[in-house]
Amino acid sequence: MADFEERRGLLGDEAEGSSTGRKADRGPGRPLAAICDPSHFLHRVVVLVFMCFLGFGSYFCYDNPAAETAAVQSEVSDLNLNTAKFMQLYAWYSWPNVVLCFFGGFLLDRVFGIRLGTIIFSLFVCVGQVIFAAGAWTNHFWLMEAGRFVFGIGGESLAVAQNTYAVNWFKGKELNLVFGLQLSMARLGSTVNMNIMGWVYSKVALAVGSSGHTALGVSLMIAGGTCVFSLICALVLAFLDKRAERILQKEQGKTGNVIRLTDVKDFPLTLWLIVAICVCYYVAIFPFIGLGQVFFIEKFNFSPAQARAVNSIVYIISAPASPILGFVVDKTGRNVVWVITAVVATLAAHMMLAFTFWNPWIAMSLLGVSYSLLACGLWPMVAFVIPEHQLGTAYGVMQSIQNLGLALFAMAAGAIVDSNGYLVLEVFFCACVCVALIAAVMLYLVDYLKGGDLNRTAAARAKLQKEDSPESE
Amino acid sequence: MAATGRLLISTILLVFTFRSCLSLFYGGNTYKRKLFVQLNPNSSSLPRGGELLHVRAVGQNDTLHYLFCSQGAPTLLLVHTNSSSSTVKVNWSQFSSRNTSGSLTVEPESSILYSSAVVFSRLWEYDDVNNTAEASSDLLPPHELQDFSWSLFNLSGATSLLCGAPSDSTNGSLCLQLSVFDSEGRNKLWPRLLHSANSSQVEVWLNGILPRSNASRFVLELQAVSGTYPLSRVDTRQSIDDEYTPSIFKMFQWVSSINGSSDILGFVQWKPVAYRKSHPVLEDATPCRHSDPDSQNGEETAALSALIRGFYSNPEVMGMNVSFGMAGEPFYNSTMFLSWTMLVGVGSPPVDSFSPLVLAIMAVCLGAPVILLLLGGVFVFLYKRRHATVTAYERIN
């Protein structure tokens, strides 16, 4: 899911500054019960529940293709799909986001407003999933691709909306905790999906009486139920937010993302290196997870259930590891070293998968840890190299390039498996990680020459801040 | 950083050591043979009951005789001699009457080092109603390949094609294509098995043979014959390398060895995959499985095949079934085509190694960051020193 969630923490900080929501005294009227009182903690917990489930549907359905394919291997032949075509389902998700990353925030702020925008994006997710399922049901592949495209339009922008809601309701309160919970929820969605869809499929196949595309379509429709659930959450949130606005007289939340493409020419070399690391690293993770289940079945003789479990370990580990490693990186600083460590660990994991028959649990666990570590080390660096008013543009550019990379590499990965097999695929992923490593080493050197801002220890940073602050006052 | 560098360097060393180990196996195998193809040796007319193909693969001081015959069940006989001038003699009247051994001999007889044969005896068909791909019950009467009507050999170079159909049917055929090689290499089409100058490749395919049920799957029965050391066990070799046969990480070799030692005299080698189309893509692959080899009655096998009867006086026979398809996979009816490939050879079976593409990518990708680290390290060191001298200078000032 293009790792949008990792940057929320930062966006949040930024949005916090620019968001104009203000607290007003509660209007006259009868006192409200705690759970109905928008300014009360208990009420915010209720809102938080809906907020978390807002994204659940899209995260649940994102990896549907992978989960379903491993569920019944022959499904690929049921649909007459080769790996390249299968991976196009992922590519079609990424295509709209190459552009939408720039406009998602704009649409939310200026055109729809957060409430309507969220409902619209949830609708896109729902309709996309229904089209996708209908395509499988009627065995039309182009319809499935169209479904993924529509789903993609909604999916990433919904994450932006979720983020904005969180800032709007929790800024200055439990914001970091909320971001953490939302992240864990996203991981939970992916994990539940990978482990439950095979079971759903087999039950449906029994009920329908055939294991062909009909059963696949029906089980995807059932998965679509989570999207409807998310849509309901969007409606409830819109209602609660409107109500809170009326009672507290606050304004609608804003993403605060202002994109100015002219900023791009001012971006320093270090940012482009960060972008390079980001693209080359994530193309070796997400397309791999899409293809991983069949790989584990074929190479390591895993059962489909085992393959799903080992494939989802990356997400499972990342849920608790992200906050812990985030804390560690925050306390120690030295982001570039952490990034290099993460990239090298990922390279080692991919090489294990490529060149050994070692139990893939080892490699995948390592991948899960290093993936979380990279996210914790890499994303905060953007804020160090880019002035705050350009952050929105920087993130937009990064996400756009990343989606472009994901779309292209997903298709390339599928084609490689079809013609040259999994070893060459793994070698190809190793090559991508190596390019990320080269970029990381260059980043270290460039940063060193510039004075080592990125690679300071946390103590040095704090000291620098202390020295700076008297001057600025 | 230093630790990172060390890790990378050791990984590179590992890859290169691995590579040189492989080239020990592989690089020395540039052996070439000269091939001589002869149809129906020393027969003046077309023999009745089927033809006999003789390919002589002559090396520096040995000869491999490949004999491929369609009298009875199709049979491939491989005789290894230690002389580059050994010959095959056939007494055609005895050979075609199929009742005495010794009608086909390799001379001088003392030069024979090893011989083995593969008889393609039967094609089983079963009705897989429950889609389990278990051939335990529902077996239909087998297609006896000795009763097929076989075509004449269709020769092109050292490749010969033999097709046959059940005598009561004109639809479809079962074809066997034998390729003998003068040197190492691999075919263009999957499974792209690596062959050496000491092995031949047999591709078996069913094309359009009418299935007798709506859910037909097929099983091919093979019988391996030898004079002294039978092909007794099947070794499984796991391979990390699936670049030649995508998504297949296993190789099976049915080998003959002296009292179970690791020295292999002869082998039949295959990957557990068959294809449902003649020009397959990945989704046309279908897995195949084999039964454990068990010993068979030599006399019965000799009765099936003129070549076995004529060459072996006391054949030792092991039988094995190779079944195609897996539970849930499409049936034969979906494409009416099925092809499977194996190697038959003497000595140790060929071992796959990484392609230059993989080695080049790994070398470049692992090498570049290390070189960058080294250069960067030197650069930083020099920069630091210059910087240090500058500050020192300023301080004195």
Side-chain angles (χ1 to χ4, degrees):
Chain A
M1 198 126 212
D3 240 280
F4 181 78
E5 53 280 7
E6 273 80 9
R7 77 178 180 86
R8 279 187 213 169
L10 283 161
L11 257 192
D13 294 339
E14 185 216 353
E16 229 172 306
S18 58
S19 182
T20 50
R22 76 193 121 78
K23 271 267 180 71
D25 292 333
R26 198 191 302 163
R30 63 200 157 82
L32 294 161
I35 200 154
C36 301
D37 180 353
S39 63
H40 198 279
F41 171 73
L42 219 57
H43 185 76
R44 285 204 304 278
V45 171
V46 175
V47 171
L48 176 62
V49 171
F50 287 109
M51 236 176 247
C52 285
F53 279 101
L54 180 62
F56 187 80
S58 73
Y59 284 106
F60 186 90
C61 294
Y62 173 72
D63 266 325
N64 264 182
E68 288 284 349
T69 315
V72 190
Q73 258 187 294
S74 64
E75 212 161 90
V76 177
S77 42
D78 282 354
L79 287 166
N80 283 318
L81 277 190
N82 54 30
T83 323
K85 276 178 125 184
F86 163 73
M87 287 308 282
Q88 269 179 17
L89 293 177
Y90 281 93
W92 276 106
Y93 176 90
S94 292
W95 286 126
N97 293 306
V98 175
V99 177
L100 264 179
C101 296
F102 291 109
F103 299 111
F106 174 77
L107 288 176
L108 280 174
D109 286 352
R110 305 286 171 82
V111 184
F112 301 129
I114 174 78
R115 286 170 220 136
L116 185 61
T118 308
I119 294 170
I120 288 173
F121 290 137
S122 299
L123 264 175
F124 267 108
V125 167
C126 274
V127 172
Q129 179 70 14
V130 169
I131 297 175
F132 181 56
W137 200 326
T138 56
N139 206 6
H140 289 303
F141 188 70
W142 63 267
L143 201 57
M144 295 177 75
E145 287 180 326
R148 287 294 283 187
F149 183 80
V150 176
F151 183 79
I153 292 175
E156 295 286 287
S157 310
L158 192 61
V160 180
Q162 194 184 16
N163 172 48
T164 312
Y165 262 130
V167 172
N168 189 230
W169 278 85
F170 293 94
K171 67 174 161 20
K173 300 190 183 78
E174 303 88 4
L175 190 60
N176 283 325
L177 179 72
V178 169
F179 282 137
L181 275 175
Q182 285 185 350
L183 180 71
S184 300
M185 206 61 197
R187 298 289 178 247
L188 188 71
S190 309
T191 311
V192 170
N193 161 60
M194 284 198 182
N195 289 295
I196 209 174
M197 282 315 289
W199 177 81
V200 170
Y201 177 88
S202 58
K203 291 284 161 199
V204 170
L206 265 179
V208 177
S210 75
S211 60
H213 51 86
T214 316
L216 179 62
V218 173
S219 49
L220 286 176
M221 282 288 180
I222 294 172
T226 58
C227 297
V228 175
F229 181 60
S230 289
L231 178 63
I232 294 171
C233 288
L235 291 168
V236 172
L237 270 180
F239 168 75
L240 290 177
D241 198 54
K242 183 97 187 159
R243 182 170 164 276
E245 185 186 65
R246 184 168 43 81
I247 297 172
L248 300 178
Q249 278 144 32
K250 61 168 193 170
E251 282 180 21
Q252 263 199 76
K254 297 262 157 104
T255 62
N257 271 355
V258 184
I259 308 270
R260 269 188 311 274
L261 285 178
T262 45
D263 287 350
V264 172
K265 66 177 179 353
D266 302 326
F267 286 167
L269 175 62
T270 40
L271 180 84
W272 294 116
L273 287 172
I274 292 173
V275 170
I277 298 171
C278 165
V279 173
C280 295
Y281 185 84
Y282 285 118
V283 295
I285 300 288
F286 293 108
F288 174 70
I289 288 174
L291 288 168
Q293 284 160 314
V294 183
F295 173 65
F296 296 127
I297 294 172
E298 302 275 1
K299 180 167 177 180
F300 298 97
N301 298 324
F302 273 33
S303 72
Q306 283 175 312
R308 277 195 299 279
V310 72
N311 208 25
S312 57
I313 191 73
V314 174
Y315 290 144
I316 294 176
I317 287 183
S318 144
S322 292
I324 297 172
L325 291 170
F327 178 78
V328 172
V329 174
D330 276 349
K331 285 294 152 202
T332 56
R334 296 208 177 278
N335 289 44
V336 185
V337 173
W338 285 118
V339 166
I340 291 177
T341 312
V343 174
V344 169
T346 306
L347 183 62
H350 267 305
M351 286 185 63
M352 269 184 227
L353 290 169
F355 297 111
T356 69
F357 277 104
W358 295 353
N359 198 319
W361 284 101
I362 306 168
M364 290 305 274
S365 304
L366 184 59
L367 202 64
V369 174
S370 54
Y371 159 80
S372 315
L373 181 60
L374 182 107
C376 297
L378 186 73
W379 292 96
M381 282 200 294
V382 179
F384 295 138
V385 299
I386 294 286
E388 194 174 312
H389 67 276
Q390 290 182 341
L391 267 181
T393 315
Y395 281 126
V397 168
M398 275 181 90
Q399 260 198 298
S400 170
I401 296 176
Q402 191 185 335
N403 273 299
L404 185 68
L406 282 178
L408 293 175
F409 276 72
M411 296 196 320
I416 287 174
V417 170
D418 278 344
S419 59
N420 292 89
Y422 287 97
L423 177 78
V424 177
L425 178 75
E426 276 298 328
V427 166
F428 172 73
F429 284 146
C430 287
C432 292
V433 178
C434 282
V435 175
L437 181 62
I438 292 171
V441 172
M442 299 246 309
L443 182 65
Y444 178 87
L445 296 175
V446 171
D447 178 61
Y448 184 86
L449 294 182
K450 281 188 167 185
D453 286 337
L454 298 179
N455 210 23
R456 273 206 188 96
T457 59
R461 264 181 208 146
K463 205 175 147 196
L464 210 67
Q465 236 168 13
K466 262 185 200 160
E467 282 169 5
D468 278 355
S469 42
E471 283 167 30
S472 61
E473 270 167 15
Chain B
M1 290 292 281
T4 313
R6 266 205 300 277
L7 180 72
L8 274 173
I9 289 166
S10 55
T11 330
I12 283 188
L13 280 178
L14 196 79
V15 169
F16 279 106
T17 325
F18 195 51
R19 184 194 174 170
S20 44
C21 285
L22 282 172
S23 61
L24 278 181
F25 269 100
Y26 184 66
N29 222 342
T30 48
Y31 195 66
K32 257 187 108 94
R33 291 178 181 276
K34 271 200 178 124
L35 300 184
F36 302 94
V37 182
Q38 194 181 16
L39 204 53
N40 307 319
N42 44 25
S43 162
S44 48
S45 60
L46 200 65
R48 68 196 150 85
E51 289 187 296
L52 174 68
L53 175 79
H54 177 212
V55 182
R56 209 151 49 93
V58 184
Q60 271 160 358
N61 45 20
D62 68 339
T63 306
L64 281 170
H65 295 275
Y66 296 94
L67 292 146
F68 194 29
C69 180
S70 61
Q71 287 205 15
T75 306
L76 172 66
L77 171 66
L78 176 51
V79 184
H80 189 202
T81 66
N82 64 6
S83 142
S84 54
S85 58
S86 56
T87 54
V88 168
K89 288 235 158 60
V90 189
N91 180 334
W92 276 100
S93 60
Q94 279 181 17
F95 186 77
S96 295
S97 61
R98 289 164 66 177
N99 49 22
T100 47
S101 77
S103 58
L104 184 148
T105 50
V106 173
E107 289 177 352
E109 203 160 331
S110 59
S111 69
I112 298 179
L113 296 170
Y114 172 77
S115 74
S116 73
V118 178
V119 182
F120 299 86
S121 48
R122 284 178 195 90
L123 180 69
W124 295 89
E125 182 177 354
Y126 63 99
D127 185 5
D128 194 11
V129 201
N130 299 325
N131 204 351
T132 55
E134 296 292 338
S136 50
S137 56
D138 304 317
L139 271 177
L140 301 165
H143 296 282
E144 293 284 350
L145 297 191
Q146 60 168 332
D147 299 334
F148 272 35
S149 46
W150 294 101
S151 68
L152 299 178
F153 282 112
N154 185 353
L155 294 178
S156 75
T159 299
S160 54
L161 177 65
L162 176 68
C163 287
S167 43
D168 55 346
S169 145
T170 51
N171 276 326
S173 57
L174 183 149
C175 293
L176 297 150
Q177 179 169 292
L178 171 73
S179 311
V180 180
F181 308 104
D182 58 353
S183 62
E184 194 173 80
R186 43 180 107 236
N187 267 25
K188 281 209 179 81
L189 285 177
W190 287 341
R192 303 194 65 198
L193 298 176
L194 176 72
H195 58 73
S196 64
N198 290 337
S199 56
S200 61
Q201 176 173 299
V202 181
E203 188 182 351
V204 187
W205 69 84
L206 303 178
N207 188 2
I209 285 191
L210 287 181
R212 286 174 286 182
S213 77
N214 289 330
S216 278
R217 290 193 197 281
F218 285 94
V219 177
L220 183 66
E221 181 186 294
L222 300 176
Q223 301 193 352
V225 186
S226 63
T228 42
Y229 301 108
L231 277 79
S232 51
R233 65 168 202 267
V234 176
D235 292 343
T236 308
R237 212 169 51 211
Q238 290 262 3
S239 162
I240 56 169
D241 193 356
D242 72 330
E243 59 186 312
Y244 301 106
T245 322
S247 87
I248 305 298
F249 293 90
K250 272 202 186 104
M251 178 80 95
F252 289 109
Q253 36 206 47
W254 189 10
V255 297
S256 107
S257 61
I258 304 167
N259 303 326
S261 73
S262 58
D263 275 352
I264 292 169
L265 299 170
F267 65 89
V268 174
Q269 188 191 47
W270 68 94
K271 284 189 173 177
V273 63
Y275 294 98
R276 286 191 295 262
K277 288 196 180 132
S278 55
H279 289 274
V281 288
L282 195 56
E283 62 266 33
D284 301 323
T286 187
C288 59
R289 291 167 301 160
H290 62 271
S291 63
D292 285 333
D294 60 348
S295 89
Q296 307 278 314
N297 184 332
E299 185 47 39
E300 277 174 21
T301 309
L304 285 177
S305 155
L307 204 49
I308 301 300
R309 171 70 81 207
F311 183 75
Y312 287 107
S313 52
N314 193 9
E316 290 249 15
V317 182
M318 301 294 281
M320 174 193 291
N321 289 330
V322 179
S323 64
F324 305 106
M326 194 181 71
E329 290 263 319
F331 300 109
Y332 169 76
N333 308 42
S334 65
T335 56
M336 306 279 267
F337 185 92
L338 198 60
S339 94
W340 179 68
T341 306
M342 65 183 204
L343 291 186
V344 182
V346 298
S348 292
V351 179
D352 263 329
S353 64
F354 292 137
S355 65
L357 175 79
V358 167
L359 291 172
I361 293 178
M362 286 315 290
V364 169
C365 287
L366 292 178
V370 172
I371 291 170
L372 188 69
L373 265 179
L374 292 177
L375 289 180
V378 170
F379 181 70
V380 164
F381 178 72
L382 292 177
Y383 182 85
K384 245 183 185 170
R385 251 179 53 168
R386 214 187 62 186
H387 209 72
T389 47
V390 168
T391 43
Y393 176 74
E394 278 168 353
R395 215 171 277 156
I396 292 165
N397 221 10

